[in-house]
Amino acid sequence: MDKLLAARQCLKESLEKSNSLASQIDETKSRLQKINDNLPILSTELRSTYSRKSTLSAVGEHVDRAFGPVAAVLKIHESVCGLERSLMEGPIGGDIMGYLLVVKQFEEALMFLSDNCGLAGQWMEDIVKLLDENVMADDKYILNVKRSLRVLSELKDMEAHARLNGGLLSNAFNTLELTFRNLVKENSSTNASFTEPQVHKLQIIIERLKAHDRLENCMTIFIDVRSSNARADLQALNLSYLEEEISESDSIQKFEDHTVQWGEHLEFALKHILQAEYDTCKTVFEKFGSEISLGCFAKITVQSGLLELLKFGTRITEAKKDAIKLLKLLDIFAVLDSLRADFNLLFGSKACLEIQNLTRDLIKQVVEGACEIFKELSHQVEAQRYNMMPPSDGSVPRLVTFVTNYCVMLLEDNHKPILSKVLSIHQIWNKKKSHNGILREEFQNILDSLEVNLETWSKTFEDNALSYFFLMNNYIYLYEFLQGTVFGDLMGEELLHEHKRKMQIYAQAYLKHSWGKLPAILSEDELILFSLGTNTQELVKKRFRGFNEAFEDMYRKQSEWVVADNTLREKACQLIVHTIVPTYRSYVHNYSYLVENESSPSKYVKYSASSLEAMLSSLFQLNVAKFGRSNSSKSNHLIGKLRNAVANQFRVAPIST
């Protein structure tokens, strides 16, 4: 419907111009007819003057010299009249090349006519002067010569009148502009290229109009048609999200899908829409100067809607600062970086200064925003030290799993090179020496803050065993997590060994303050092997009962505790099994016979060594945490899962100045 309405408007404008042209042609025709009627009189008078040469010998020489130019005027005027009819008919059958030839011939004929009228007029003026001075001259004859001189003057002004607005030549130029617009419209798709014949026609028209200071009109027409097409192609991508307002209180998660679309749309706009427009402008206009072609392209780009795309990217950088935003800023930078060659090619000229400034501003805000968030991460981890409490089950806090998985995501192939480049650019902008260790330095700060958090949180547990279990659990997680990941590779073997050392220290402390107490209950002190004394039997019963009570109490309590994943759970359980089961097995083997003859021997030997091992091996199984080692797919899933729980707390506050 839009195209039909546009076509209707175009036809209406063409009809109005045709009516105006017809009216102007009628006026011109009447004026030319008057001049034409006077030409025979001029010719007759000149011949009459020539016949009276013997009488007026003083003017004879001037008459001879004037007769040649006047004859040329008559002949040229006949040609002009013929060309006028062709111009008024317009391009017959779309023969624009033929029409251009007529326009050119008409211009040349008018110029020749004007020159000859000027020459003839000079001789006629001399004749009038001589006749006025000759007393023998006939007044009627002098009057006719003067009237002929006025006719020549009118013919000489014919070119100037034709060029005036509404004149025949001016209308011919209007026709050429309309034809130019139609030719440009014929190639309405940005994905299509003008054919060589089409380009030739367009350039011929431009040359003709340029010679008459109408190049700007050609550029305006071209920009109007092509930018309309480009904008339509861009709007077909569904860019309604560009109208959404974004404030500092908005989370970037709200616009996450839009940022993905934005990157795809920006790439499509540059590579498939604007690249075609750039090539088309260059093909059609570069013959007339690169400034002309690049100027057209710059205006087409602005009117196509690219600026709105770039401005949306800038608005995204103004969203609330949090850890998730850093990932999106890196994605935005990756898009811009991948399109850098396209930006430089398309918008490298002075004509595209507005686009250059907007792009530079976008890149600046992306780089500064990303660096601000990244360098604040360790401080934000530290800020959670007193804002959060550790899990009561001694498991790995969500902040720890979030931060470690988040760091791995930052160091994966799709983010690490971009993050490194962003940091390097920021260093250069701030006139600081860029170095390869900047990444490791910042990640070390994050880990250091995280470890201090763990040590601080561990002191909040009243149960020493749970405190050490918590630290063991987290250092096992960190050690296992970092191994074989890009995070661990960056931090180096020394850090891994340090985590392993701490893990072992806290594991020993945990066992010492919990399960390590149980073997002492089964001490063989004061027992006489194979003794059947009453005292020995009672002591064995007491120790079996004491062990059972301590084991069950500890097992019930620690069954609620959580280890990070199955691998880590198995290792923790193995430590407990190795601490208790060998001693228990030996004690049962050596002293169970002393209670076998009791009425209820199971009150004392409630567990076999194998059943005890089975229970301990599945101690933490029922509450296994679901945050294991990260890989690409797990990281994405984890980040999505933890966003609502952690991201709003893990927020970067503005840096005070």
Side-chain angles (χ1 to χ4, degrees), residues 335-503:
V335 170
L336 295 172
D337 192 53
S338 68
L339 296 173
R340 180 174 53 179
D342 300 275
F343 271 96
N344 290 340
L345 171 65
L346 299 177
F347 312 122
S349 68
K350 293 181 180 179
C352 297
L353 190 60
E354 181 180 7
I355 302 167
Q356 293 171 16
N357 291 337
L358 196 56
T359 304
R360 275 195 291 266
D361 184 59
L362 171 57
I363 293 173
K364 180 181 179 182
Q365 293 198 46
V366 168
V367 169
E368 291 183 344
C371 288
E372 178 185 355
I373 295 174
F374 180 65
K375 292 183 178 181
E376 279 289 302
L377 289 177
S378 60
H379 300 298
Q380 294 308 310
V381 172
E382 180 181 349
Q384 306 309 310
R385 193 168 299 161
Y386 303 104
N387 294 336
M388 297 177 62
M389 293 296 291
S392 59
D393 55 17
S395 62
V396 178
R398 285 194 169 188
L399 179 66
V400 175
T401 57
F402 176 86
V403 170
T404 50
N405 279 278
Y406 180 78
C407 289
V408 168
M409 290 189 72
L410 289 176
L411 290 170
E412 287 177 342
D413 291 342
N414 59 328
H415 284 132
K416 181 181 178 181
I418 301 301
L419 179 58
S420 298
K421 184 174 287 189
V422 165
L423 291 173
S424 178
I425 292 173
H426 192 261
Q427 291 287 98
I428 294 171
W429 285 354
N430 289 277
K431 298 181 180 179
K432 296 180 180 179
K433 185 177 180 180
S434 180
H435 56 89
N436 295 331
I438 187 171
L439 266 184
R440 189 185 186 286
E441 182 180 309
E442 292 298 333
F443 281 107
Q444 182 67 63
N445 291 337
I446 293 172
L447 270 182
D448 289 345
S449 294
L450 203 57
E451 291 183 31
V452 174
N453 284 10
L454 294 175
E455 300 288 344
T456 303
W457 289 334
S458 70
K459 294 178 174 60
T460 63
F461 294 107
E462 295 182 0
D463 186 338
N464 286 337
L466 181 56
S467 176
Y468 291 123
F469 174 86
F470 170 76
L471 290 171
M472 174 199 74
N473 203 2
N474 279 274
Y475 277 104
I476 288 176
Y477 173 83
L478 290 176
Y479 175 72
E480 293 289 338
F481 182 92
L482 290 175
Q483 279 189 320
T485 66
V486 289
F487 194 7
D489 293 341
L490 177 68
M491 303 315 297
E493 288 294 325
E494 184 177 346
L495 179 70
L496 289 174
H497 290 315
E498 178 63 17
H499 283 171
K500 185 176 182 180
R501 186 185 68 83
K502 289 183 178 180
M503 171 192 74

Side-chain angles (χ1 to χ4, degrees), residues 153-204:
S153 177
E154 290 184 19
L155 288 174
K156 182 179 180 181
D157 294 337
M158 190 173 177
E159 179 186 8
H161 288 300
R163 294 182 184 279
L164 293 176
N165 188 26
L168 195 56
L169 197 54
S170 176
N171 289 333
F173 294 149
N174 292 339
T175 300
L176 287 177
E177 289 180 4
L178 181 60
T179 303
F180 183 81
R181 178 181 291 274
N182 293 334
L183 284 173
V184 176
K185 282 186 175 181
E186 286 177 11
N187 190 267
S188 59
S189 173
T190 54
N191 292 322
S193 300
F194 285 106
T195 63
E196 189 173 339
Q198 286 175 322
V199 172
H200 181 63
K201 288 180 181 179
L202 291 172
Q203 290 179 340
I204 291 296

Side-chain angles (χ1 to χ4, degrees), residues 223-254:
I223 292 166
D224 178 53
V225 175
R226 298 299 298 186
S227 62
S228 177
N229 295 336
R231 189 172 189 86
D233 287 344
L234 198 57
Q235 289 297 328
L237 300 175
N238 186 16
L239 304 178
S240 57
Y241 64 87
L242 296 181
E243 300 174 3
E244 294 194 24
E245 295 295 330
I246 304 175
S247 67
E248 293 182 0
S249 62
D250 289 324
S251 171
I252 203 168
Q253 296 174 55
K254 178 180 177 182

Side-chain angles (χ1 to χ4, degrees), residues 69 78 100 119 187 193 221 274 327 426-427 476 601 634 651:
E78 290 179 3
L100 280 166
L119 184 60
N187 190 267
S193 300
I221 292 169
L274 296 177
L327 299 175
H426 192 261
Q427 291 287 98
I476 288 176
K634 282 187 178 180
R651 187 177 307 152

